[in-house]
Amino acid sequence: MGIWIRRLIIIVCAIALIPNIISFFSGLTNGLPERVKSEVENGDAVLIDLDKKVNLENDEILFKHLVLAPQETSLIFEVHTNENGWSFPDSALILTDRQGNIYRKTSGSASGHTWGQYRINHYEPLKTDVETIVLDFEWFDRKFQTEFSVDQGDLE
């Protein structure tokens, strides 16, 4: 009788883990959100691949894409945490350009995964003459600055 109870417990636990397993494998292939994909495919937005890693002490930030649209600028990135006990404060990311314009963050979203977070920050649209954007991060004793070249294509 005891062997059947143990097997039943194992089966129930395995079934309970199925959503976590699916979430883990779907998180390995994070693509663009459907709304962003459709805007880029329709020509309403320009997608710029960034693929730049920044090490922030024990953590790694991978900047994946910048999406330029007439109504907003979206920064898509991943935060791979190796340090327990802190979550990435995306409000500490300040987007500017070399002309001194500061672009205010309008909204953002994040999804948690076993390896860290997949994040999308939305900012005000960039000015038309911007060639390079500067991303500043300062949170207590952690800080970095990185630049990205921007080719805005034919946005109106």
Side-chain angles (χ1 to χ4, degrees), residues 117-136:
Q117 300 173 349
Y118 182 80
R119 304 188 74 93
I120 302 173
N121 284 0
H122 302 286
Y123 297 90
E124 296 172 326
L126 297 182
K127 309 274 188 213
T128 55
D129 60 343
V130 173
E131 294 178 5
T132 303
I133 60 167
V134 179
L135 198 60
D136 285 310

CSV table of all heavy atoms in Angstrom, one decimal, residues 117-136:
chain,number,residue,atom,x,y,z
A,117,GLN,N,14.9,38.4,-15.6
A,117,GLN,CA,13.7,39.1,-16.1
A,117,GLN,C,13.9,39.5,-17.6
A,117,GLN,O,15.0,39.8,-18.0
A,117,GLN,CB,13.6,40.4,-15.3
A,117,GLN,CG,13.4,40.2,-13.8
A,117,GLN,CD,13.4,41.5,-13.1
A,117,GLN,OE1,13.8,42.5,-13.6
A,117,GLN,NE2,13.1,41.5,-11.8
A,118,TYR,N,12.7,39.5,-18.3
A,118,TYR,CA,12.6,40.0,-19.6
A,118,TYR,C,11.8,41.3,-19.5
A,118,TYR,O,10.7,41.3,-19.0
A,118,TYR,CB,11.9,39.0,-20.5
A,118,TYR,CG,11.7,39.4,-21.9
A,118,TYR,CD1,12.7,39.2,-22.8
A,118,TYR,CD2,10.5,39.9,-22.4
A,118,TYR,CE1,12.6,39.6,-24.2
A,118,TYR,CE2,10.4,40.3,-23.7
A,118,TYR,CZ,11.4,40.1,-24.6
A,118,TYR,OH,11.3,40.5,-25.9
A,119,ARG,N,12.4,42.4,-19.9
A,119,ARG,CA,11.8,43.7,-19.6
A,119,ARG,C,11.6,44.5,-20.9
A,119,ARG,O,12.5,44.4,-21.8
A,119,ARG,CB,12.7,44.5,-18.7
A,119,ARG,CG,12.9,43.8,-17.4
A,119,ARG,CD,13.6,44.6,-16.3
A,119,ARG,NE,12.7,45.6,-15.8
A,119,ARG,CZ,12.0,45.4,-14.7
A,119,ARG,NH1,12.1,44.3,-14.0
A,119,ARG,NH2,11.2,46.4,-14.3
A,120,ILE,N,10.6,45.3,-20.9
A,120,ILE,CA,10.4,46.3,-22.0
A,120,ILE,C,10.0,47.6,-21.4
A,120,ILE,O,9.1,47.8,-20.6
A,120,ILE,CB,9.2,45.9,-22.9
A,120,ILE,CG1,9.4,44.5,-23.5
A,120,ILE,CG2,9.0,46.9,-24.0
A,120,ILE,CD1,8.3,43.9,-24.3
A,121,ASN,N,10.9,48.6,-21.7
A,121,ASN,CA,10.6,50.0,-21.2
A,121,ASN,C,10.2,50.9,-22.4
A,121,ASN,O,10.8,50.8,-23.5
A,121,ASN,CB,11.9,50.6,-20.6
A,121,ASN,CG,12.2,50.1,-19.2
A,121,ASN,OD1,11.5,49.3,-18.7
A,121,ASN,ND2,13.3,50.5,-18.6
A,122,HIS,N,9.2,51.7,-22.2
A,122,HIS,CA,8.7,52.6,-23.2
A,122,HIS,C,9.0,54.0,-22.8
A,122,HIS,O,8.8,54.4,-21.7
A,122,HIS,CB,7.2,52.4,-23.4
A,122,HIS,CG,6.7,51.0,-23.8
A,122,HIS,ND1,6.9,50.5,-25.0
A,122,HIS,CD2,6.2,50.1,-23.0
A,122,HIS,CE1,6.5,49.2,-25.0
A,122,HIS,NE2,6.0,49.0,-23.8
A,123,TYR,N,9.6,54.7,-23.8
A,123,TYR,CA,10.0,56.1,-23.6
A,123,TYR,C,9.3,57.0,-24.6
A,123,TYR,O,8.7,56.5,-25.5
A,123,TYR,CB,11.5,56.3,-23.7
A,123,TYR,CG,12.3,55.5,-22.7
A,123,TYR,CD1,12.7,54.2,-23.0
A,123,TYR,CD2,12.7,56.1,-21.5
A,123,TYR,CE1,13.4,53.5,-22.0
A,123,TYR,CE2,13.4,55.3,-20.6
A,123,TYR,CZ,13.8,54.0,-20.8
A,123,TYR,OH,14.5,53.3,-19.9
A,124,GLU,N,9.4,58.3,-24.4
A,124,GLU,CA,8.9,59.3,-25.3
A,124,GLU,C,9.6,59.0,-26.7
A,124,GLU,O,10.7,58.5,-26.7
A,124,GLU,CB,9.2,60.7,-24.9
A,124,GLU,CG,8.5,61.1,-23.6
A,124,GLU,CD,8.9,62.4,-23.0
A,124,GLU,OE1,10.1,62.8,-23.2
A,124,GLU,OE2,8.1,63.1,-22.5
A,125,PRO,N,9.0,59.4,-27.8
A,125,PRO,CA,9.7,59.2,-29.1
A,125,PRO,C,10.9,60.0,-29.2
A,125,PRO,O,11.0,61.2,-28.7
A,125,PRO,CB,8.6,59.6,-30.1
A,125,PRO,CG,7.6,60.4,-29.4
A,125,PRO,CD,7.7,60.0,-27.9
A,126,LEU,N,11.9,59.5,-29.9
A,126,LEU,CA,13.2,60.2,-30.1
A,126,LEU,C,13.0,61.4,-31.1
A,126,LEU,O,12.1,61.3,-32.0
A,126,LEU,CB,14.2,59.3,-30.7
A,126,LEU,CG,14.7,58.1,-29.8
A,126,LEU,CD1,15.8,57.3,-30.5
A,126,LEU,CD2,15.2,58.6,-28.5
A,127,LYS,N,13.8,62.4,-31.0
A,127,LYS,CA,13.8,63.5,-32.0
A,127,LYS,C,14.3,62.9,-33.3
A,127,LYS,O,15.0,61.9,-33.3
A,127,LYS,CB,14.7,64.6,-31.5
A,127,LYS,CG,14.4,65.1,-30.1
A,127,LYS,CD,13.3,66.1,-30.0
A,127,LYS,CE,13.2,66.7,-28.6
A,127,LYS,NZ,11.9,67.0,-28.2
A,128,THR,N,13.9,63.6,-34.4
A,128,THR,CA,14.3,63.1,-35.7
A,128,THR,C,15.8,63.1,-36.0
A,128,THR,O,16.3,62.4,-36.8
A,128,THR,CB,13.5,63.8,-36.8
A,128,THR,OG1,13.7,65.2,-36.7
A,128,THR,CG2,12.0,63.5,-36.7
A,129,ASP,N,16.5,64.1,-35.4
A,129,ASP,CA,17.9,64.2,-35.8
A,129,ASP,C,18.9,63.4,-34.9
A,129,ASP,O,20.1,63.6,-34.9
A,129,ASP,CB,18.3,65.7,-35.8
A,129,ASP,CG,18.1,66.3,-34.4
A,129,ASP,OD1,17.3,65.8,-33.6
A,129,ASP,OD2,18.6,67.4,-34.2
A,130,VAL,N,18.4,62.5,-34.1
A,130,VAL,CA,19.2,61.8,-33.1
A,130,VAL,C,19.9,60.7,-33.8
A,130,VAL,O,19.4,59.9,-34.6
A,130,VAL,CB,18.3,61.2,-32.0
A,130,VAL,CG1,19.1,60.2,-31.1
A,130,VAL,CG2,17.7,62.3,-31.2
A,131,GLU,N,21.3,60.6,-33.6
A,131,GLU,CA,22.1,59.6,-34.2
A,131,GLU,C,22.6,58.6,-33.2
A,131,GLU,O,22.9,57.4,-33.5
A,131,GLU,CB,23.3,60.2,-34.9
A,131,GLU,CG,22.9,61.0,-36.1
A,131,GLU,CD,24.1,61.7,-36.8
A,131,GLU,OE1,25.2,61.4,-36.4
A,131,GLU,OE2,23.9,62.5,-37.7
A,132,THR,N,22.7,59.0,-31.9
A,132,THR,CA,23.2,58.2,-30.9
A,132,THR,C,22.4,58.4,-29.6
A,132,THR,O,22.1,59.6,-29.3
A,132,THR,CB,24.7,58.5,-30.6
A,132,THR,OG1,25.5,58.3,-31.8
A,132,THR,CG2,25.3,57.6,-29.5
A,133,ILE,N,22.0,57.4,-28.9
A,133,ILE,CA,21.4,57.5,-27.6
A,133,ILE,C,22.3,57.0,-26.6
A,133,ILE,O,23.2,56.2,-26.8
A,133,ILE,CB,20.0,56.8,-27.6
A,133,ILE,CG1,20.2,55.3,-27.8
A,133,ILE,CG2,19.0,57.4,-28.5
A,133,ILE,CD1,19.0,54.5,-27.4
A,134,VAL,N,22.2,57.6,-25.4
A,134,VAL,CA,23.0,57.3,-24.2
A,134,VAL,C,22.1,56.8,-23.1
A,134,VAL,O,21.1,57.4,-22.8
A,134,VAL,CB,23.8,58.5,-23.7
A,134,VAL,CG1,24.6,58.2,-22.5
A,134,VAL,CG2,24.6,59.1,-24.8
A,135,LEU,N,22.4,55.6,-22.6
A,135,LEU,CA,21.7,55.0,-21.5
A,135,LEU,C,22.5,55.1,-20.2
A,135,LEU,O,23.6,54.5,-20.2
A,135,LEU,CB,21.3,53.6,-21.9
A,135,LEU,CG,20.2,52.9,-21.1
A,135,LEU,CD1,18.9,53.6,-21.3
A,135,LEU,CD2,20.1,51.5,-21.6
A,136,ASP,N,22.0,55.8,-19.3
A,136,ASP,CA,22.7,56.0,-18.0
A,136,ASP,C,21.9,55.2,-16.9
A,136,ASP,O,20.7,55.2,-16.9
A,136,ASP,CB,22.7,57.4,-17.5
A,136,ASP,CG,23.8,58.2,-18.3
A,136,ASP,OD1,24.9,57.8,-18.4
A,136,ASP,OD2,23.4,59.3,-18.8
